[in-house]
Amino acid sequence: MEHRRIPLGLLAAVMLLGAVLLPATTAAAATTYEVGVGGFLQNVPAESMRFFPSTVDVHQGDTLHFSTDGFHTATALPVGEGPVQWFDANASGPTDPYSIIQTDPDDGPNATKFSTAVALPTDPTCGGTGQPACGYDGSALLNSGVPISGPMDFSVGVNASAGSTFYMVCIIHGPNMRLKVNVVGASDAASTNADIRSANQAAVNQDQDSAEALFAKYSTRQTWHRGPGGTRVWDAWAGVDNQHVVLYGMFPQRLRIREGDTVQWHFDTLAYEVHTVTFPIDTARDIVRNSFIPVCDTGSGPDGPPDLEGPPFCSDPTQLEIQLDDRHTPEIGNGVFRGSDLENSGVRGATSYLGDANYDLRFARRSTDGAFRYICLIHPFMRGKLVVR
């Protein structure tokens, strides 16, 4: 039988028609990316203040899973919002909704509270353990809230359009702690978890080395300079930050000075954390015990106790307030410590609306009972001693 040749043009048309009529090939499976938010380091009281990784390329439909053992948020800013500009507009003043500490005028002129917009998730029905991922299309902010009952376990489904870029930030620690997310086209290569793990390990190693060097530099540092009238002013630090690392501690932990000397605590290295210097330790501990207390503000009369055991603590979530002791946030005292009077630097650092100015305290009497002890009201495990002779 004679075989007739099929013209090439007809063959191409048939193949094209078959490609159209046959079922489409299955699209690449969606990827879940594991993202760490901060991370405690070894051997020194320090923490990395990064997202791990710092940049990721994803496809629409992929998921970002955030975890941390620290006190952080994983907050997606709307597409087009830069971290610095967003913080300036939303978290730089005492009445801004995402300032971590806010004034609370209905409870008195010195009353302050911790922001519930920061503390609680945008949508409590998604993102958490056993819940579907929260969908993010880029049009509005999406906040994980802070971990309250355990490590963070928060998932975001990326529905933003291909070609868009958005940032994840930790609201607690400011615009420098961020993740840049690029949503690439379906035909473009996205990041791989293997590459991310490799980059993360390199970043952790870098931060570990940096933290150990920072701790060695400040832990035993004993420096002073001349103040007004020739007085001696000793240098101290309530925590120390660098580009990616924070040290938790009072440096030096123990300082020996003479009666009448002044100690100047430096807060201007604090890029991420906020701290206080608060004397004496017994009063400071009392302030800590009376802070970060959930109450229900009904709008009439005094605030009431929580009517729910866990978040959002109040049957009407809009009534929740996380109160701070009135002595917690502001600077208190006359700048001269005599052994039992309350002297508080107030909450200071780059992310505090009170600023990061240095704090001077003169010691007018000897520490006859050993040493004057003090703590940070934000991190009460940060302790220091002043021996005055």
Side-chain angles (χ1 to χ4, degrees), residues 167-185:
Y167 287 91
M168 303 288 306
V169 298
C170 171
I171 304 179
I172 304 293
H173 296 109
N176 293 324
M177 188 172 180
R178 63 198 188 201
L179 163 66
K180 184 179 182 181
V181 183
N182 301 309
V183 186
V184 300

Side-chain angles (χ1 to χ4, degrees), residues 3-12 14:
H3 294 278
R4 303 178 66 178
R5 299 181 64 183
I6 301 176
L8 291 177
L10 179 60
L11 179 61
V14 170

Side-chain angles (χ1 to χ4, degrees), residues 8-195:
L8 291 177
L10 179 60
L11 179 61
V14 170
M15 293 176 66
L16 178 61
L17 180 61
V20 172
L21 295 178
L22 288 175
T25 57
T26 303
T31 300
T32 296
Y33 292 94
E34 297 296 332
V35 181
V37 186
F40 293 105
L41 299 169
Q42 303 295 315
N43 307 321
V44 289
E47 185 177 6
S48 295
M49 287 294 168
R50 307 185 194 230
F51 281 79
F52 294 95
S54 59
T55 303
V56 63
D57 296 336
V58 305
H59 290 130
Q60 189 180 52
D62 287 344
T63 297
L64 300 170
H65 177 247
F66 298 89
S67 59
T68 185
D69 290 324
F71 192 72
H72 302 288
T73 74
T75 307
L77 302 182
V79 168
E81 293 272 7
V84 173
Q85 295 78 9
W86 183 87
F87 274 89
D88 285 345
N90 297 278
S92 62
T95 61
D96 288 345
Y98 292 98
S99 285
I100 56 176
I101 295 177
Q102 303 172 329
T103 53
D104 188 15
D106 64 326
D107 288 329
N110 297 318
T112 54
K113 58 186 178 181
F114 191 90
S115 168
T116 54
V118 174
L120 300 180
T122 305
D123 184 349
T125 68
C126 66
T129 303
Q131 296 177 326
C134 288
Y136 169 81
D137 64 6
S139 63
L141 179 141
L142 177 64
N143 182 30
S144 66
V146 296
I148 294 177
S149 58
M152 178 185 289
D153 178 11
F154 182 64
S155 295
V156 175
V158 179
N159 298 326
S161 59
S164 60
T165 293
F166 64 94
Y167 287 91
M168 303 288 306
V169 298
C170 171
I171 304 179
I172 304 293
H173 296 109
N176 293 324
M177 188 172 180
R178 63 198 188 201
L179 163 66
K180 184 179 182 181
V181 183
N182 301 309
V183 186
V184 300
S187 61
D188 297 321
S191 300
T192 69
N193 276 308
D195 289 342

